[in-house]
Every structure is written in structure tokens, then in C-alpha cells.
């Protein structure tokens, strides 16, 4: 439960920050909400499609061995989550400035309103896809469904609540420090996913002398 909550908490915080920056930068733009909501809908639809077809994709590759496919999913989840943790650690501040500048350009009429849809859609799709891959990896690793569901609900709720508080200025927590703390936990989770992937490869007959 804790591992799922940490990952979804962080991913939700990232989405909330992007949403908050865009909303703040376009506060004077009256027609912004339909475009922002469209971006959220597109991103959620893409992440939902990945979740819906995850099992089918896995079963379609059963010819090369279910263990190999499971290992690949776990390795991909570990790679995505690890890369995001490292990238956000170094570039969160510059990304925030960049998104804020784009929002201001949209408000001034330099960029079209569709730019808001693209920013939100890409952010939700990226973080949503990582959530899907991680949850599917937890399922493959044998974690109980009740633990995954409760951890997911807890992580999304806390991430959304803190993101809202940051947006409204109720708390003055620097995203940089928040990402630094959660980054340590994410690296441990990435190591766990990778080790579980190696376990599937070992079960498939690879690395027999190292097993």
C-alpha cells in the first residue's frame, strides 16, 4: 500500500503543479477552462487506453514467454519512474518557469488556446501512463488488489490536496524539496521493480548460474 501511495502521490503532485501553473498564468483568460478540461480528458483517455489494453498486450506476447513479458513491463515501469524522478530533481524549477511563460503567452494572444490543451494532455498522459505501468507492475509482483486500490486512493487524494493548497497559497512548500524527499523513496521502489523483473527472467531460465 505504501509504495503505491508514494508513487501516485508524486505523480498527482506533478499533474497538480502543471495545472496550478497554467491556471495561475491564465487567470485573466475567460475561455481557458474548456481548453484545460479538454486536455485533461484527452490525457485521461490515453492513460485509460493503456490501462485497458495492458493485459491484452501482455497476453499477445505470450509466445515469447509470459515471464519475459512481465519482466519487460516491470523494467519499463522502473525506467519511466526512475527517469522522471531524476529529471524532476534537476529540471522542476526550469519546467515551472517554462510552463508559466507559455501560459502568459496564451493570455497575451501570442499562442493559441489549443496550447493549453496540449500542455495539460501531455502532462496527464505522461504521469497517467507511469501510474498505469506501476500499478500493473504491482499486480504482476503479486501485491493484493485491496492494498493497491487503497494506496492509489490515498496517493491521489493527498497529491491533489497538497497541489490545491500550493495553488491557493495555503502552504509554502517548495516543489524542489518535496521532489527530493519523494525521489529517495522512488529510487528504492525502482530497485524493487527491477529486482522483480530479474526474478521473472530467472524463472524463465535466464541467468541460471547467477540465480
Amino acid at each position: 500500500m505504501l509504495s503505491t501511495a508514494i508513487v501516485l502521490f508524486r505523480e498527482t503532485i506533478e499533474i497538480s503543479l502543471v495545472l496550478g501553473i497554467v491556471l495561475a498564468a491564465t487567470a485573466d483568460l475567460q475561455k481557458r477552462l474548456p481548453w484545460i478540461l479538454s486536455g485533461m480528458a484527452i490525457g485521461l483517455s490515453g492513460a485509460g487506453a493503456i490501462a485497458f489494453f495492458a493485459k491484452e498486450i501482455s497476453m499477445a506476447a505470450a509466445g515469447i514467454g509470459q515471464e519475459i513479458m512481465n519482466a519487460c513491463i516491470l523494467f519499463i515501469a522502473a525506467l519511466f519512474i526512475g527517469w522522471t524522478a531524476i529529471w524532476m530533481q534537476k529540471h522542476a524549477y526550469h519546467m515551472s518557469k517554462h510552463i508559466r511563460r507559455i501560459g502568459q503567452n496564451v493570455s497575451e494572444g501570442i499562442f493559441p488556446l489549443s496550447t493549453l490543451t496540449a500542455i495539460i494532455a501531455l502532462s496527464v498522459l505522461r504521469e497517467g501512463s507511469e501510474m498505469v505501468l506501476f500499478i500493473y507492475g504491482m499486480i504482476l509482483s503479486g501485491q493484493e488488489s485491496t492494498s493497491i486500490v487503497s494506496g492509489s486512493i490515498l496517493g491521489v487524494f493527498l497529491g491533489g490536496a497538497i497541489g490545491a493548497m500550493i495553488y491557493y497559497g495555503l502552504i509554502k512548500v517548495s516543489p524542489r524539496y518535496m521532489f527530493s524527499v519523494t525521489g529517495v523513496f522512488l529510487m528504492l521502489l525502482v530497485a524493487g521493480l527491477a529486482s522483480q523483473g530479474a526474478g521473472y527472467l530467472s524463472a524463465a531460465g535466464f541467468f541460471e548460474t547467477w540465480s
Side-chain angles (χ1 to χ4, degrees), residues 4-13 16 131 135 149-163:
T4 306
I6 291 173
V7 171
L8 268 71
F9 170 77
R10 183 190 174 95
E11 303 297 347
T12 305
I13 279 287
S16 300
M131 291 179 186
I135 291 173
V149 172
S150 57
S152 300
I153 294 173
L154 178 62
V156 170
F157 174 78
L158 290 178
I162 291 180

Side-chain angles (χ1 to χ4, degrees), residues 133-193:
L133 284 171
F134 177 79
I135 291 173
Y136 194 59
M138 290 294 96
I139 294 172
L140 293 178
S141 66
Q143 191 170 129
E144 294 184 1
S145 57
T146 54
S147 176
I148 295 174
V149 172
S150 57
S152 300
I153 294 173
L154 178 62
V156 170
F157 174 78
L158 290 178
I162 291 180
M165 286 190 287
I166 292 175
Y167 171 71
Y168 288 110
L170 299 177
I171 55 176
K172 302 293 183 180
V173 179
S174 172
R176 179 182 303 177
Y177 298 118
M178 190 178 300
F179 287 140
S180 297
V181 174
T182 56
V184 174
F185 290 105
L186 282 185
M187 285 295 110
L188 294 175
L189 294 177
V190 166
L193 289 172

Side-chain angles (χ1 to χ4, degrees), residues 28 44 46 82 95 97 172 177 184-185 197 209:
D28 299 328
L44 288 172
M95 184 196 72
K97 288 182 62 177
K172 302 293 183 180
Y177 298 118
V184 174
F185 290 105
T209 56

Side-chain angles (χ1 to χ4, degrees), residues 21-42:
I21 292 169
V22 170
L23 288 170
T26 59
D28 299 328
L29 197 61
Q30 295 182 348
K31 298 180 179 180
R32 61 178 179 160
L33 285 181
W35 295 92
I36 292 175
L37 292 176
S38 297
M40 292 182 65
I42 293 171

Side-chain angles (χ1 to χ4, degrees), residues 115-134:
T115 306
L116 300 179
T117 301
I119 291 174
I120 300 300
L122 289 173
S123 175
V124 174
L125 177 60
R126 183 183 68 245
E127 311 306 338
S129 299
E130 291 180 11
M131 291 179 186
V132 169
L133 284 171
F134 177 79

